[in-house]
Structures are given as C-alpha cells and as structure tokens.
Amino acid sequence: MALVGRRDGRNFGYGRQLSYAGPQALRDLFGGGHYGTVKAHSDRWQAFVRWCRSEDGPGFNDARQIDRQTLLDYAGDLRQQVKQGELAIATAQNRLSSVNRVMAALRGDQYVKVPSPSKALGLHRSTVRIKAPQGQDRDQVTRIVNALREQHPRAAAIAQLARATGMRLRETILADLPRLRLEAEHWGKINIQDGTKGGRSGASAPRWINVDEHVREALRHAEQVSPHGSRNLLAPNERYLSFQQRIVRLAREILHEHNIKGFHELRAAYACERYLQITHHPAPVNGDSDQFDQELDNEARVTISMS
C-alpha cells in the first residue's frame, strides 16, 4: 500500500495495525526491493510491537504515539534481557537499530530515534572470541566434506575452501576459481579478491594465502563442481541469495549434525592453525597461555588479518 499525500492518519497512513504498518513503510522505502533487509528489519520490528503490547510496554498500536522516551524504555527492556542472558548484545543492538529505521520510514524524518543504540543499551559488543572454534580437527572436516559431497557438492567445496584458506562464506562462493588455480600454479599463493568485505580489490589491497596441498585439493574440487560456464560456484543465471537459501541453508543442517555451528567456524579454525604455524604456540583461545609472548601474538594477529 503506497502512501498517498501527507502522512495523515493512524500509523502515518500505513494502516490500523502497528505490526502491519512497519513492514509496509519499509517496502515503500526500499521500493519493493532489498527483500533480505526488509525481512530482517520487519522481524525485529515485530519484537518491538510485541513489547509495546506486553505488560511492560506502553500499549501503543499507533506509531504516532511513539516518542523518543518510548524507544529509551524499550532499550531498557532489551538491556535487562541481555543481563539475564536472554539476548545477545548484538541482537539487542540490531533490534534497536531496526526500530530506528522503521520509525524513520513511517514518519519520513529522523526526529524519533535513539542516536546511539550501543550507548542507549549501555552495552558493547565483544569481537574477541573466547571459545575455541569447531572444525580444527581435519579428520572431522574430511568427514563433513564427504557427507556434503553426497547431497550438496558445491557446499562441500565451500567447506573445503573455508577450512583450507580462511575465506569467508561469500568469498568461497564468488571466488574466481580459474584465476586462483593459475596463481597457485605460478606463484604458490593465491590472492583473495572476489566477495571480500570493505571494497578490497586486487593489487590495491592484496590478500595473499600461501598454497599447500589442502588449498590445492580445495581448489581442484571447487573447479570440478563449478557449474558449466561459470568461474565460481554460482551458475551463470543463479543469484547469490537464491544459492544461499537453497544450498547453504540446507548444508548447515549437515554441519550441525557434525557439531559445527556454521561455515564461519571453519574460517576461525584456519586462523588458529595459522597462529600455531607463525608462533609455534597454540592460539590463546585454545587455552595455552603459559608461554604467551605479547609481541609475537600481535605479529601473528596482524599477519592472519592480512590473509
């Protein structure tokens, strides 16, 4: 339902129900596209709506009644849930950020928002891993890859690449496989460029990975299962999001059966292995700090972050 004229009426003209109005405003804001973004914000908005209707909430069903104090009260409720262990800090921050986004979409301005979700919550995310990653045992990874090959060969290639090279999920899917094979043959190392975060590209921001037999095997298998006419793991007419939904999501179930939370665990396992190679000591997350050398630790972390 497109908004016509001024934002008059209940929920700024987006309908009678707060739960319905938010997603509608987002669809208008994004022009009917960005389905994943709209879905994520909408889901978090529904959590806010449930709070509004709860005993602890204000009982509102009209976005015109929501002011900054309402959002601060919601932040207080989220903070309490985090302290009680019911929510992760990241989840709480994401929920508050999404409410900001939906309110802006409904109102058409930025007047009612929480400027800094992290400050409002009084909590900060921690990016330091405190639990040893799963997938460090290569025999376990081999079993997982074999299980994936039976049902989802391309997902098996993702697992191999993630564990052998430390690539992120998107990087494994979009990697230019023929180029990587040639680099491995000529240079003994590969440059991760495709699907990377932060706009990294080629020689302007090289990220070289040394090649060993594990990397060669991962590249060989990935090229074997790469669809005809493609240079990566996507078919020429296949969308990344569709591949994620059809293949990656199903493959995660197999990972879970082998006690692996997700493909990101394999990337973290690679980092631990590289740390051991560089320092000749287990990564701190693996629990050995008897011979901890801060300077060597910093050097290893920088080296791994660049690979």
Side-chain angles (χ1 to χ4, degrees):
M1 182 181 73
L3 189 65
V4 179
R6 294 181 300 160
R7 282 178 157 80
D8 290 335
R10 191 182 184 94
N11 287 309
F12 299 99
Y14 280 103
R16 296 186 58 79
Q17 297 296 322
L18 192 61
S19 58
Y20 174 83
Q24 284 299 121
L26 287 170
R27 292 187 187 101
D28 272 3
L29 178 67
F30 289 103
H34 297 271
Y35 302 108
T37 300
V38 170
K39 177 68 163 59
H41 286 315
S42 295
D43 288 348
R44 296 169 193 151
W45 175 255
Q46 299 308 326
F48 172 68
V49 171
R50 288 193 295 272
W51 172 79
C52 284
R53 294 172 177 171
S54 71
E55 293 182 0
D56 297 325
F60 297 158
N61 195 30
D62 186 344
R64 294 175 300 176
Q65 298 173 284
I66 297 171
D67 57 17
R68 188 166 181 268
Q69 186 57 51
T70 307
L71 302 189
L72 291 175
D73 291 343
Y74 181 52
D77 184 79
L78 293 173
R79 186 188 312 117
Q80 191 62 29
Q81 290 185 59
V82 171
K83 289 181 177 179
Q84 293 173 352
E86 298 172 5
L87 277 184
I89 295 174
T91 302
Q93 290 185 4
N94 287 339
R95 286 188 181 181
L96 206 49
S97 295
S98 287
V99 171
N100 277 347
R101 175 59 69 92
V102 176
M103 285 301 299
L106 284 165
R107 293 176 55 89
D109 60 40
Q110 301 282 334
Y111 290 125
V112 176
K113 69 175 184 177
V114 176
S116 172
S118 62
K119 288 183 180 179
L121 290 166
L123 303 164
H124 297 279
R125 306 184 192 197
S126 172
T127 57
V128 178
R129 177 182 277 269
I130 59 175
K131 187 176 181 180
Q134 301 155 334
Q136 295 190 65
D137 182 350
R138 283 198 175 273
D139 289 338
Q140 180 194 26
V141 175
T142 298
R143 291 192 294 272
I144 292 170
V145 169
N146 289 337
L148 287 170
R149 279 179 176 172
E150 295 179 5
Q151 300 181 44
H152 309 292
R154 288 186 288 173
I158 291 172
Q160 274 191 291
L161 287 169
R163 182 61 181 85
T165 69
M167 288 186 193
R168 298 177 178 87
L169 175 64
R170 184 179 180 85
E171 292 168 350
T172 63
I173 296 171
L174 300 180
D176 186 335
L177 298 170
R179 175 180 62 78
L180 295 183
R181 172 173 46 79
L182 290 174
E183 288 178 351
E185 292 172 355
H186 287 91
W187 306 106
K189 54 186 179 179
I190 57 176
N191 186 7
I192 310 302
Q193 300 180 25
D194 306 284
T196 56
K197 292 176 66 176
R200 180 192 297 270
S201 62
S204 64
R207 182 168 139 220
W208 291 96
I209 305 292
N210 289 328
V211 171
D212 60 14
E213 191 51 43
H214 295 297
V215 175
R216 292 189 185 92
E217 173 58 27
L219 290 175
R220 276 196 296 268
H221 177 243
E223 278 206 283
Q224 287 172 2
V225 301
S226 175
H228 180 71
S230 172
R231 296 181 65 87
N232 54 44
L233 291 178
L234 293 181
N237 60 347
E238 189 174 30
R239 295 176 59 191
Y240 177 81
L241 181 59
S242 173
F243 179 78
Q244 267 199 313
Q245 293 172 339
R246 292 188 306 104
I247 305 298
V248 175
R249 185 175 297 175
L250 294 174
R252 283 199 178 102
E253 296 177 5
I254 295 177
L255 294 184
H256 295 164
E257 291 173 5
H258 288 79
N259 299 315
I260 301 288
K261 286 192 298 184
F263 289 103
H264 60 280
E265 290 293 305
L266 302 177
R267 169 175 158 81
Y270 162 84
C272 286
E273 186 173 82
R274 285 289 292 130
Y275 188 97
L276 177 62
Q277 292 169 354
I278 295 167
T279 67
H280 303 292
H281 296 292
V285 75
N286 282 328
D288 184 2
S289 58
D290 293 340
Q291 296 178 301
F292 185 78
D293 183 324
Q294 185 66 63
E295 185 174 342
L296 189 58
D297 176 79
N298 290 339
E299 178 186 335
R301 291 176 186 272
V302 170
T303 301
I304 294 168
S305 70
M306 296 297 292
S307 66

